[in-house]
Amino acid sequence: MSRVAAPGGRSVFASKIAYDALQVESGEESEEEIQEEAPESSNAEEQAKPSKSAIKKAARLARIERKQQQKAQARAEARAAKGASATPSPSALTPQTIQSALPEVAHPSPPAASASSVEEVARSVPPVAEDGSVVSPVPAAVSKPVEPNGTHSKANGHGNGHHPRQVESQPEPAVTHVSAATSTAHLAKEVTSPQPQAQKVQAEPVVPVEEKPSTLPSESSAPPPAVDEEKVKKRRNVLERVVWTFIMIFGFIGLLLLGHAYMILLVMVCQSLVYREVTALFSLKSVDSRDANKSDLKGKDPWSKTLNWYFFAVTNYFLYGESIIYYFKHVVFADAQLLPFATNHRMISFTLYIIGFMGFVMSLKKGYLKQQFGLFCWVHMSLLIIVFSSHFIVNNILEGLIWFWVPASLVICNDSFAYIWGKLFGRTPLIKLSPKKTVEGFVGAFWSTLLFGVVWGTIFMQFNYMICPVHDLGTSAFDSIVCKPNPVFVWRTIDLWRPLASVLSAVVGRSVTALSYAPYQLHLITLSVFASLVAPFGGFFASGFKRAFNIKDFGDSIPGHGGMTDRMDCQFLMGVFTYVYYSSLIRENNVTVGGILQTIVSGLTIDEQLELIADLTRYLEKQGIAIPR
């Protein structure tokens, strides 16, 4: 029993029962008492604000103990199985358990009986008033923690606390007058030896703390990886790129040796992949929310891929039909079954296109009109850039493999040397669309490609298989081919100026009076200049295209290299230039058997054709030529 002087001057003899009655329990006051004493709790809340050092200690403790959470939970479950309701150790108080212990309800309940840490208990020591009593600051929000094993501890020996524990943020009485010595001893006992009974601890406001990766050693901390994953991934990509580069080179050479038909097939496969990658960039989605929810439009693509590929097939039929009729007149016009298709080829092609156009108009639906017309234009531009360019490349093959092989090699050479010189000496950016391109690489690739082109073309112009126009698609590099070469492949001699001849003779050590050359070598210089200065802009165009759609590659058709479009961007431009240059300045328009046969079949009647045959037979007999029967 202790004697306490009350503020009113009366003596109050506090017994054990009176002392327990004076203690303030969170949740025991009625709502009216809480509302009346709310103004006094604000000052107490300010006094209970934790310091920065305490916050840092709590954060460090949480980081260390987070990794031991599973072990602590296992221990807590074991204690729960034994019926123990001891206070949880600090190692079990992780940010997850603290967060799970703070739900909200409207009904107060007896407080929990566990202290979060030594710092929280120390901060809960009440100050001593002037009259010797203890002032207990109580924050506005009272926390009721939950045991780690999911059960609640006893409060003041009443109940086992198995019902859900919840929190109500209500103001508490700010001051209670109790014995200072008794309160201090009671709190010290809580710090040193946790009791199985519930402890009355005031919970402080939860302060969010940013967690940082722990650098302290622990049981579950794994050793750092020996090799950086980024370097491993980079080496793997480089290896994959190198392997597929050699696969493409040797595959290309193998198809070249097999013959013209395989090279044409290769071009068709490449153009199909490029067309697929480019048209796939256009996504068709309805922007009209009123029409998007309709049952006939929802989940249905009115502009299906069928029409896309229909126009692709019709365009190829028209272009490749023109090439076959032009280069194989002696076969097409001599076959009675192919003759109707050859004479009416353009009309058939136009009819097929009109069918596709009518199908497009009939597929128009409200809510998709803008997207459908946009895709219609997109498809036709893709056909113009991709399919027409591929058609010219096929014509180069039919004119002679050298007109396809050498220009394609020049583009590859220029791209490779631009990368090499840029890596070695590159300092000045060339164009913003391709930040990795440098002026030094561009200039170095120009001179390297110029020298490579003259040497490379001179080597292959010596083989009839490379320079002869196609006459039979079944021909390969292993067959003997004889043809009259184009005059540009015929060597010529030019007399040197005498002072220059004297200087060259002195340098070489023998008499040099003339210089041999082939006109094709001069054309090689032109092709090399175009491949170095103009063809790269096809790559810049593709780079801008990818930036417009915010993509790195057009696809993944070639492992390590991206899509087929990424490899063919410069080849299309180079192929078109080669065909235009060859057909304008190099091709010889001679009279051929196929051309005469086309004129006879399409321009003469049956009677006139029979008359021509009789006259031609009579002419050959007079010349002593036996006509096979």
Side-chain angles (χ1 to χ4, degrees):
M1 309 294 288
S2 62
R3 183 182 182 86
V4 180
R10 293 185 297 106
S11 299
V12 180
F13 294 91
S15 64
K16 179 67 172 62
I17 299 176
Y19 177 76
D20 293 339
L22 288 174
Q23 291 183 352
V24 179
E25 290 291 331
S26 58
E28 293 184 359
E29 292 79 15
S30 62
E31 295 183 0
E32 292 78 5
E33 294 175 346
I34 293 175
Q35 293 177 358
E36 292 175 359
E37 296 174 353
E40 298 178 357
S41 64
S42 61
N43 295 333
E45 183 176 348
E46 293 179 359
Q47 296 177 3
K49 184 176 182 180
S51 61
K52 294 183 178 179
S53 60
I55 295 174
K56 292 181 179 179
K57 291 179 180 179
R60 185 170 60 255
L61 182 64
R63 289 195 302 269
I64 297 173
E65 295 164 349
R66 180 181 57 185
K67 299 179 180 179
Q68 302 176 353
Q69 179 181 3
Q70 296 180 353
K71 186 180 294 185
Q73 290 180 352
R75 291 196 298 266
E77 292 175 357
R79 288 196 300 270
K82 296 178 181 180
S85 59
T87 305
S89 62
S91 62
L93 293 177
T94 62
Q96 291 80 2
T97 58
I98 293 175
Q99 183 67 22
S100 63
L102 295 175
E104 296 183 0
V105 296
H107 302 287
S109 59
S114 62
S116 62
S117 63
V118 177
E119 288 83 353
E120 292 180 354
V121 175
R123 286 197 297 269
S124 64
V125 177
V128 181
E130 295 178 357
D131 56 355
S133 60
V134 178
V135 180
S136 300
V138 180
V142 180
S143 171
K144 305 184 186 338
V146 181
E147 291 293 334
N149 58 4
T151 60
H152 303 273
S153 60
K154 301 176 184 179
N156 294 333
H158 300 288
N160 53 9
H162 287 284
H163 59 279
R165 187 72 62 184
Q166 298 176 344
V167 177
E168 180 183 8
S169 297
Q170 296 291 346
E172 293 287 345
V175 179
T176 56
H177 299 278
V178 296
S179 173
T182 304
S183 176
T184 305
H186 180 66
L187 293 172
K189 186 177 180 181
E190 289 181 349
V191 174
T192 56
S193 59
Q195 299 296 328
Q197 296 182 354
Q199 304 294 334
K200 307 176 183 62
V201 181
Q202 309 291 342
E204 296 189 355
V206 179
V207 180
V209 180
E210 181 180 0
E211 296 186 4
K212 298 181 180 179
S214 177
T215 57
L216 299 177
S218 61
E219 298 177 0
S220 60
S221 60
V227 183
D228 191 5
E229 296 182 359
E230 189 67 23
K231 293 182 179 179
V232 174
K233 183 178 179 181
K234 187 175 181 180
R235 286 198 296 267
R236 189 186 302 112
N237 292 339
V238 171
L239 178 61
E240 184 180 42
R241 187 181 182 92
V242 172
V243 170
W244 277 94
T245 298
F246 282 103
I247 291 176
M248 288 190 294
I249 291 174
F250 288 108
F252 187 60
I253 295 175
L255 294 176
L256 180 68
L257 297 176
L258 291 176
H260 301 76
Y262 292 92
M263 296 305 300
I264 294 174
L265 181 62
L266 174 64
V267 173
M268 294 183 65
V269 171
C270 291
Q271 76 162 3
S272 300
L273 293 175
V274 173
Y275 181 79
R276 185 194 66 177
E277 293 171 354
V278 173
T279 54
L281 296 177
F282 196 98
S283 58
L284 181 59
K285 296 180 181 179
S286 175
V287 296
D288 193 344
S289 58
R290 296 174 300 177
D291 298 323
N293 295 326
K294 293 183 179 180
S295 58
D296 59 335
L297 297 180
K298 192 173 183 181
K300 180 181 179 182
D301 185 2
W303 176 258
S304 63
K305 296 181 179 179
T306 304
L307 284 176
N308 280 5
W309 289 101
Y310 177 82
F311 282 118
F312 176 78
V314 170
T315 306
N316 277 279
Y317 172 79
F318 169 71
L319 295 176
Y320 287 104
E322 290 287 318
S323 298
I324 292 174
I325 293 173
Y326 180 82
Y327 290 99
F328 300 97
K329 295 175 183 177
H330 59 283
V331 177
V332 174
F333 288 97
D335 193 330
Q337 295 180 351
L338 297 177
L339 185 59
F341 293 97
T343 54
N344 302 290
H345 171 71
R346 295 181 180 178
M347 189 63 193
I348 295 174
S349 301
F350 181 74
T351 302
L352 293 174
Y353 177 81
I354 289 299
I355 293 174
F357 177 78
M358 294 173 63
F360 163 74
V361 175
M362 294 176 63
S363 69
L364 294 175
K365 290 184 179 293
K366 185 179 179 181
Y368 290 98
L369 295 176
K370 186 176 181 180
Q371 287 74 23
Q372 286 182 287
F373 281 106
L375 184 55
F376 184 81
C377 299
W378 185 276
V379 167
H380 282 69
M381 287 301 299
S382 301
L383 294 174
L384 177 63
I385 296 176
I386 299 171
V387 181
F388 275 78
S389 300
S390 302
H391 165 67
F392 293 136
I393 294 176
V394 170
N395 288 349
N396 293 337
I397 295 174
L398 298 176
E399 292 288 351
L401 285 173
I402 197 170
W403 300 108
F404 167 73
W405 168 252
V406 173
S409 302
L410 293 176
V411 172
I412 297 174
C413 170
N414 181 78
D415 190 28
S416 302
F417 277 108
Y419 176 81
I420 295 173
W421 293 113
K423 280 292 184 181
L424 295 177
F425 307 103
R427 298 292 182 273
T428 309
L430 178 63
I431 188 170
K432 293 182 179 180
L433 290 175
S434 297
K436 295 183 179 180
K437 304 292 184 181
T438 60
V439 175
E440 293 80 3
F442 189 78
V443 175
F446 168 76
W447 294 107
S448 301
T449 305
L450 195 64
L451 178 61
F452 172 83
V454 175
V455 176
W456 191 252
T458 303
I459 294 174
F460 286 96
M461 64 174 285
Q462 305 175 24
F463 303 98
N464 289 337
Y465 175 71
M466 299 297 296
I467 65 176
C468 290
V470 64
H471 187 76
D472 184 5
L473 286 176
T475 305
S476 67
F478 308 100
D479 299 328
S480 178
I481 300 177
V482 179
C483 68
K484 180 182 179 181
N486 191 294
V488 298
F489 299 113
V490 178
W491 288 93
R492 303 180 184 181
T493 303
I494 182 175
D495 295 332
L496 296 177
W497 185 41
R498 288 190 176 182
L500 180 60
S502 301
V503 173
L504 291 177
S505 300
V507 172
V508 176
R510 60 184 181 86
S511 177
V512 178
T513 59
L515 180 65
S516 298
Y517 78 99
Y520 179 64
Q521 294 174 327
L522 302 179
H523 296 301
L524 285 173
I525 295 176
T526 304
L527 294 175
S528 300
V529 170
F530 186 90
S532 302
L533 302 181
V534 182
F537 281 85
F540 302 153
F541 175 83
S543 298
F545 206 78
K546 289 186 288 187
R547 286 181 176 271
F549 287 88
N550 195 24
I551 57 177
K552 181 180 179 181
D553 297 316
F554 282 96
D556 53 357
S557 303
I558 309 174
H561 291 267
M564 183 62 67
T565 310
D566 298 285
R567 303 276 69 84
M568 296 293 293
D569 46 9
C570 301
Q571 296 288 357
F572 286 136
L573 192 60
M574 187 69 192
V576 174
F577 171 76
T578 303
Y579 176 78
V580 173
Y581 183 82
Y582 171 80
S583 60
S584 302
L585 303 177
I586 301 176
R587 175 194 284 168
E588 288 187 328
N589 296 316
N590 298 325
V591 178
T592 61
V593 175
I596 296 174
L597 185 60
Q598 180 183 9
T599 304
I600 294 172
V601 173
S602 59
L604 300 179
T605 63
I606 300 298
D607 295 335
E608 292 173 340
Q609 294 176 13
L610 294 174
E611 183 181 354
L612 176 62
I613 293 174
D615 294 340
L616 184 60
T617 302
R618 203 163 35 248
Y619 168 78
L620 294 175
E621 289 176 349
K622 291 181 179 180
Q623 297 295 326
I625 300 175
I627 301 175
R629 299 294 182 181

